[in-house]
Each structure stands twice: as C-alpha cells, then as structure tokens.
Amino acid sequence: MSAGASRTSSAQPAAARDCDYIIVGAGSAGCVAAWRLLNETSARVVVLEAGADYRSPYLKLSPGYSRLVPKGIHCTLHHTVPQRHADNRVLEIATGRVVGGGSSVNAQVYMRGFRSDYDDWGRATGSPLWSWDSILPHFRRLEGNQKYDGEFHGSAGPLQVADPGYFCEYSHLYVKAAQASGLPFTADFNRGAPAGTGYLQFTARGGRRCSGADAYLAPLRSNERLRIVTHAQVERIIFDGDRAIGVEYLRNGTRHRIYCSGEVLLSAGAFGSPKLLMLSGVGPAAELERLGLPVRVGLKGVGQNLQDHCGSPLVLEGQSRGDGYYRQDRGWRLAWNLLEYALFRRGRLTTVGGEATSFHATEAARAGSTVQIYCVPMIAYANTGADTVPDVDGIKLHVTLLRPWSVGSMTLRSANPADPPLVDPNYLGDPRDLRYLVDGLRIARSLAATAPLAGALRGEMLPGADVADDEALARYVRRTVRTDWHPVGTCRMGREDDPASVLDDHLRVLGTRGLRVVDASAMPNIVGANTNAPTMALADRALSLLIGRSEAPPRSAERPSVRVPPNGT
C-alpha cells in the first residue's frame, strides 16, 4: 500500500490482497458494518475515514459539539448551489468528517419514523426484503434502551438510548401547551406511528454521547483483524472487469492502493458515496463524458433523488425566568454546570438542549402528520441571514417537514477528487412544501399562545406578529428555510428495471460485482424522522443480506390508525 503501488496493474491475485472487506467511511453505517463483519465472520476489515479519529472529549459530552466545538472542525461544510425557490440563497449543509460520522457530531435524537416509510422502501424495490416488519428487528438488535424493551425495543444492544439527563421548564411548558391544544401525550414515538406530543430520547446516557464509534468500534479497537485508517481521502474504486477489488486513496500527500478479496462497502454518506461512484466511472454517462471520465457503468440515478429535511423557525422572547438555557454556556453559569456535571454527572450538561417535540397534520395536507415541531429552549442560533434577533432569553419552535416532496441532486464539479460536489437540494421546489411550512408556522403560533407556555413568553420576534397573511409567511419561509442536516437518497435502491435505480434490493451497485452502498444514500425515500438511527438499521440490514443471516420478523406490530401517504418520489 505504497505510493508506488498506484502504478501497478489493477488486477491483483487474491493472495496478494490486503484484507477481505474495505469499508469507505467510518460514519454511523460504516461502524455498524465493521462491527457485524468482525463479530460474525473471520474477515479482515479495513475502514478508511477521511476525517480524524474520535478523540476529542468535547465530542463525548451530550451538548458538546453544537456548543463547545468550533464549526467545521469535525465536519465537511457543503455549500449548495443558489436555491431558486429560497431567494437564491446559498445554504450550508454539514456532514460528519470524523470516526463515527454524523453520530459523533449530531444532536443525538433517536427517532425511527413511520411504518409506512419502510413499507415504501419495499414498494420501491418490489422486494419483501424491505418493510417495517423486516427492519424492526435491526432497530431492536442495535438498541440498548434505558427504559424500554419488548416488541418494539431492545435493551441489550450496543447503542445506548435514554431520556435526557435534564429537562428544562420550557420543555415541560411546551408539552403541556400542546396537550391543552388537543394533542395526546405520547410516551414512545418509536413504535412506527409517531403522533401527539412528548419528550425525545437520545443516543446518550449519563451525559455522555453514544456515537457509532462508541457503540460499535470501541469494543473492537484491539482486534487484530481490524485496521482503521484516518485522514484517508478515497479517490476512486479499483475494478478488475466489473468486479470492485480495491480503492485508491490519498493520505498525507501520498497516494495508496489497497485491495480486498471480498467486497468494497461504501458508507461515505449521501454526498461522498455517489461522488466516489462517479469518479470511478459509475454514474450518468453523459455527465461523466462531459467531465472526461471513462464510463464503466452508465447509471443515471447516481447523484439524483437527493432528499433532505428542512424547516423554518418561530422565535419567541421569554420572560427571563430561567426556564431555558439562556447564557448557561458562558461565565459563572458554565463553570457551575461543568462542576455539577464533573461531581455528580447531572444537570444541564446531561442534555443536548432540546427535549420536547410534537407532530401535526397541517391544514394543507389534512391527513397524516406532515410537520414536526421541535421546542429549542434558546434562541442563540436563530439568526437567519437578514432576520436577526437580539441576545435575549427565549425559545425557538423549529417547524420541520417530515417528508418533503421536493427532490434535488448532487453531481461532480469536476473530475478532480479534491473539488467539492455541486449540491442542489432544491428546497421548496415543490409548492406543497411551502404550504406545509406556512401551516406549520401557524400551528407553532397557536401553541405559543396556549397556556401554560404563553405565560412564560413576552412575544414573537420572528417572523413577527405583523407577518400574518399566507404570502407574507411564505416570503418569510423562503428567506429562512434551512437544512436539518439529513441528506439521503442519492444512490437509491430500487427495481432493477427502474432506470432511476442505483442499487438492487441487496444494496449491490447495479452492473458491478463486489460493490455495495450501505449508508443513507441507499434510501429510496426519506423517513419522517432524524436519520441517524434509520441509517444504522439500514446498514445492519445490509450486512445481514451480505452475510446471509435471516432476521426473524417481530410479533405482529400494532398499525397506525391513519395511513401516512408516501412522499411521492
């Protein structure tokens, strides 16, 4: 695996190969893949990660990354093309660039989404291998839940899932107001039919984040069959005919090749996995030819079908009673919080800073939940371009589209692997998304005006009480809509006769052998939930299909009373 090796022939005898499996990307999916291979096979596994190792102590605190680590240290910051339906703004989407990937830097929310989300995967592939019933055993196997067990949950898995260690008063007031408005209280959102209002669970326990690196790689660090290579930027897949046999990567200015006797598993994320396929000649033929790249397999779906959750905030000033997290991360308050955490492992540093949520069917949709509202008990991060707010106490009610209808794309900027891709999420490209968000802001306003939450607030800061009619609210959404950092779908699985498909129902790249995609880019449609837990379950399902392990379906799960419509993509 030296610089000189890059000039050798692509074809290598099996005996000369360096490992059995190469995993490209040590994010949530890559960590699960390594864990399965090392625990259930005798394979030698090499994991290649473009970022650093998971070492920073700040990453391991529950609120650590979002508040204590400078932006971009452990992330790649992707800048979109101007969003033509969002005032031509260039937006920023951060993806994890560290061992553990997004699970090392995210807000740690543990959500699965709707039964229908996964049944739609089965319809997209035309295969019984994908459905809610087929993926539920994977959620259960991975999960080590603090308080739930049984038909819907696991308590013995490596991924620690628990209630936050601290609840602020704003969160309680929000849940009470939502109930007063007619929503039922829901204790568990992860039974396949999230609805009502309640409190979130997180991939953390005792104030410590549980990332994919913690859950899956940490117990295997001493395994001699595992090699993790950090700061390794993979530039292309090496083929022998139609079989993937290795990869070429750049590390510290030196180019290396590494070969495998088994398979190459791509888990570089919704931007990294399709980019690597295209750089390797697998993708839309016309686009590859335009960039001077040889076409190995013409798959026009590579980089297409980009879907992402997005939303806009309702920002409200508080009464400064200490109900939230205002200025708790500075000065003497931070010193006290650090001391309380260090001595007793309790207090405000045992939560990520947002514990409550609710699900709503908007007026425009009329059936099924279309938006989710997160109660964020601080407004320090509410500034959105031209819309600014002062540094005061308050809350942000972030209205998020559960299943956006808008679909975007990602393509290469050039044939140079060092160049970032061109990312176009096409936010608000479908007018239904704009209508749902406008209706969602009206719902958030109604909740803010409901006791007991109303008594803790002074008034609305954004968009402002004078922004009242639909068109004014639509203008506000267009200038404030932003990502929830959940890009998926750019290497979608599907029927082999569907020209938009990139993967078959076993997540093998069509037209190739020895090559699979096991991350969120494989999703044919986005789930109505934070995507970290679904990505892990998808990867676990993919590894069962690779290894040949059959997962027994659970007992017949209760079905939601309202069928949620598919997102139409």
Side-chain angles (χ1 to χ4, degrees):
M1 292 180 288
S2 65
S6 66
R7 294 186 292 271
T8 65
S9 167
S10 292
Q12 292 281 311
R17 299 194 181 164
D18 308 284
C19 61
D20 298 301
Y21 292 93
I22 299 169
I23 299 173
V24 180
S28 298
C31 290
V32 170
W35 175 70
R36 290 292 304 276
L37 287 170
L38 289 160
N39 279 328
E40 299 179 40
T41 76
S42 60
R44 298 166 299 153
V45 178
V46 172
V47 180
L48 302 173
E49 168 55 43
D53 208 346
Y54 179 70
R55 301 292 187 191
S56 170
Y58 292 115
L59 292 177
K60 302 185 181 186
L61 291 174
S62 287
Y65 191 80
S66 60
R67 294 196 229 167
L68 301 175
V69 180
K71 188 178 184 181
I73 294 296
H74 298 293
C75 290
T76 298
L77 303 179
H78 301 273
H79 293 92
T80 70
V81 302
Q83 294 300 282
R84 57 193 178 279
H85 302 289
D87 288 356
N88 285 313
R89 291 181 296 137
V90 174
L91 303 180
E92 190 175 82
I93 305 175
T95 57
R97 188 182 175 91
V98 62
V99 172
S103 68
S104 295
V105 298
N106 65 0
Q108 301 153 75
V109 175
Y110 183 84
M111 288 287 255
R112 297 174 179 175
F114 297 80
R115 167 188 286 271
S116 60
D117 296 333
Y118 303 95
D119 290 343
D120 287 343
W121 291 7
R123 282 187 281 274
T125 57
S127 169
L129 294 175
W130 296 94
S131 66
W132 167 259
D133 287 339
S134 67
I135 205 164
L136 181 57
H138 298 276
F139 280 115
R140 292 171 56 202
R141 187 210 347 254
L142 297 178
E143 183 185 17
N145 202 292
Q146 182 185 43
K147 68 179 184 181
Y148 294 125
D149 198 3
E151 184 175 353
F152 293 96
H153 290 280
S155 61
L159 184 68
Q160 298 296 293
V161 178
D163 294 341
Y166 183 89
F167 294 85
C168 75
E169 187 61 20
Y170 274 138
S171 297
H172 294 314
L173 294 173
Y174 180 83
V175 170
K176 291 175 185 177
Q179 291 178 83
S181 73
L183 286 182
F185 178 80
T186 301
D188 180 9
F189 291 119
N190 288 309
R191 298 164 66 92
T197 186
Y199 301 99
L200 297 160
Q201 285 202 302
F202 299 89
T203 51
R205 187 177 294 184
R208 301 285 287 181
R209 176 191 295 271
C210 184
S211 70
D214 292 312
Y216 309 112
L217 289 187
L220 300 172
R221 289 279 186 166
S222 62
N223 192 312
E224 63 183 14
R225 293 185 287 114
L226 172 66
R227 182 183 172 206
I228 302 172
V229 184
T230 56
H231 303 289
Q233 185 61 58
V234 179
E235 295 187 334
R236 73 180 182 94
I237 302 160
I238 301 169
F239 286 90
D240 184 8
D242 63 353
R243 174 174 285 280
I245 62 170
V247 300
E248 185 171 285
Y249 67 94
L250 192 67
R251 186 172 191 268
N252 297 329
T254 301
R255 187 160 281 103
H256 304 262
R257 282 189 173 188
I258 183 170
Y259 295 91
C260 64
S261 58
E263 295 193 13
V264 175
L265 307 181
L266 301 188
S267 56
F271 301 145
S273 290
K275 178 183 176 182
L276 184 56
L277 285 176
M278 287 188 273
L279 288 171
S280 306
V282 180
E287 185 65 20
L288 299 183
E289 290 168 350
R290 183 183 68 81
L291 296 174
L293 290 165
V295 180
R296 181 174 295 276
V297 182
L299 290 177
K300 71 176 188 178
V302 177
Q304 302 302 303
N305 193 48
L306 173 59
Q307 299 169 49
D308 187 17
H309 292 131
C310 62
S312 287
L314 184 78
V315 183
L316 304 123
E317 184 178 1
Q319 294 281 7
S320 299
R321 308 183 314 191
D323 291 330
Y325 296 110
Y326 178 55
R327 293 195 172 181
Q328 293 294 328
D329 57 352
R330 65 190 79 175
W332 68 265
R333 293 182 181 88
L334 176 60
W336 169 254
N337 290 332
L338 286 168
L339 182 63
E340 184 179 26
Y341 177 85
L343 292 178
F344 306 110
R345 195 60 69 86
R346 70 186 187 197
R348 291 172 176 85
L349 288 183
T350 62
T351 182
V352 300
E355 302 97 22
T357 193
S358 58
F359 292 83
H360 305 269
T362 63
E363 183 68 19
R366 298 186 182 276
S369 296
T370 51
V371 298
Q372 180 180 0
I373 300 177
Y374 293 91
C375 177
V376 183
M378 66 187 82
I379 61 175
Y381 307 107
N383 293 336
T384 55
D387 296 276
T388 60
V389 296
D391 181 22
V392 297
D393 172 63
I395 65 172
K396 179 174 66 173
L397 300 183
H398 183 69
V399 182
T400 292
L401 287 171
L402 283 169
R403 286 177 233 57
W405 291 85
S406 304
V407 177
S409 63
M410 186 232 82
T411 190
L412 296 180
R413 188 179 301 268
S414 75
N416 184 351
D419 285 344
L422 292 167
V423 175
D424 182 9
N426 191 32
Y427 295 128
L428 308 180
D430 189 299
R432 285 170 288 192
D433 291 345
L434 184 60
R435 293 202 305 271
Y436 293 172
L437 286 177
V438 167
D439 283 354
L441 285 170
R442 291 194 184 282
I443 293 170
R445 272 181 169 166
S446 176
L447 293 175
T450 301
L453 179 59
L457 303 174
R458 292 184 188 274
E460 184 177 313
M461 303 174 75
L462 290 177
D466 58 329
V467 180
D469 61 66
D470 284 352
E471 183 50 40
L473 284 170
R475 287 195 297 269
Y476 172 74
V477 169
R478 283 192 286 267
R479 72 173 184 262
T480 60
V481 69
R482 42 139 277 195
T483 177
D484 277 20
W485 300 286
H486 298 156
V488 307
T490 48
C491 298
R492 57 160 291 185
M493 57 176 152
R495 298 174 184 268
E496 294 189 42
D497 60 355
D498 182 346
S501 298
V502 178
L503 313 175
D504 68 10
D505 60 356
H506 283 64
L507 306 191
R508 295 171 294 210
V509 177
L510 297 173
T512 73
R513 294 181 295 152
L515 181 62
R516 298 184 201 230
V517 178
V518 299
D519 60 26
S521 62
M523 297 180 185
N525 51 274
I526 197 167
V527 298
N530 302 68
T531 52
N532 185 52
T535 297
M536 291 181 176
L538 181 148
D540 197 55
R541 181 71 174 151
L543 267 293
S544 287
L545 296 174
L546 184 157
I547 295 169
R549 173 173 172 171
S550 175
E551 306 297 331
R555 298 187 302 275
S556 178
E558 62 186 55
R559 296 180 180 270
S561 58
V562 177
R563 166 73 176 151
V564 179
N567 68 1
T569 59

